[in-house]
Amino acid sequence: MSTKGDLNEVMSVVPDGDRAKFLPKMFGSIFPHVERFVYVFADKQLHGYSSSCGYWEFGLTGGGRPFIYPVMKNEIILVKHPFNDFAVKLPVALAGLVMSLQALCLCLEKYGPDIKSTEERDRLIDLYHNLISDGYSIAGALNCTKQYFELVD
């Protein structure tokens, strides 16, 4: 399993000056919920993470799709499956992408009917599906496709 060196080819980090507008631009009207649920899922599923860990990076996949991930000392983290005791080790950035996917999925189910714009709702549904695919590209570059598959499929 590779780490940071290979990430530059399949993802990028949002510059500090663009952070304030990033989540609303990318996740639309449900951005506060997506952000909150990412932290909740991380607290429950990322071994060694606690909500006091602090700083999160905002990332873009090679396809330009958003996700967030914690900055941690360890580049590899144990990720627990949300519905059972199964767990796999993933690079932290990819673990954050998985948390972002889960949060987006939950928010679409919970708040999707309240999104007034059909265009926004459809864009967020497409974002979810495309982010899964982009995650496979990142996992492939980091030699952890099997582990990623075991969590998202």
Side-chain angles (χ1 to χ4, degrees):
M1 190 178 307
S2 303
T3 57
K4 284 188 178 176
D6 301 320
L7 284 178
N8 295 332
E9 298 172 20
V10 291
M11 65 163 277
S12 60
V13 176
V14 174
D16 287 342
D18 296 337
R19 287 177 63 90
K21 295 178 182 175
F22 178 75
L23 292 176
K25 177 182 175 190
M26 295 298 185
F27 294 109
S29 62
I30 63 170
F31 87 87
H33 306 296
V34 172
E35 185 177 26
R36 177 172 49 99
F37 283 122
V38 166
Y39 302 144
V40 168
F41 288 135
D43 207 35
K44 294 180 182 304
Q45 295 174 246
L46 301 183
H47 181 74
Y49 169 82
S50 84
S51 54
S52 63
C53 280
Y55 195 77
W56 284 66
E57 289 285 9
F58 294 171
L60 289 170
T61 65
R65 293 172 188 93
F67 66 102
I68 63 177
Y69 62 96
V71 174
M72 299 181 70
K73 276 192 292 188
N74 297 329
E75 293 180 8
I76 305 295
I77 190 165
L78 188 66
V79 183
K80 185 181 175 295
H81 192 281
F83 303 119
N84 57 46
D85 290 331
F86 179 77
V88 298
K89 290 182 179 181
L90 286 178
V92 171
L94 193 56
L97 188 143
V98 171
M99 300 301 103
S100 299
L101 277 169
Q102 292 174 357
L104 181 56
C105 182
L106 179 64
C107 288
L108 282 166
E109 184 172 318
K110 186 170 181 152
Y111 303 107
D114 298 332
I115 298 173
K116 292 183 171 95
S117 163
T118 303
E119 183 179 288
E120 179 183 1
R121 188 171 40 255
D122 290 347
R123 182 185 67 77
L124 290 169
I125 291 168
D126 288 345
L127 171 62
Y128 173 77
H129 291 287
N130 290 321
L131 195 55
I132 290 173
S133 290
D134 288 354
Y136 277 107
S137 296
I138 294 171
L142 298 173
N143 298 316
C144 57
T145 305
K146 179 181 182 286
Q147 294 90 334
Y148 176 75
F149 175 81
E150 291 170 332
L151 286 175
V152 300
D153 196 53

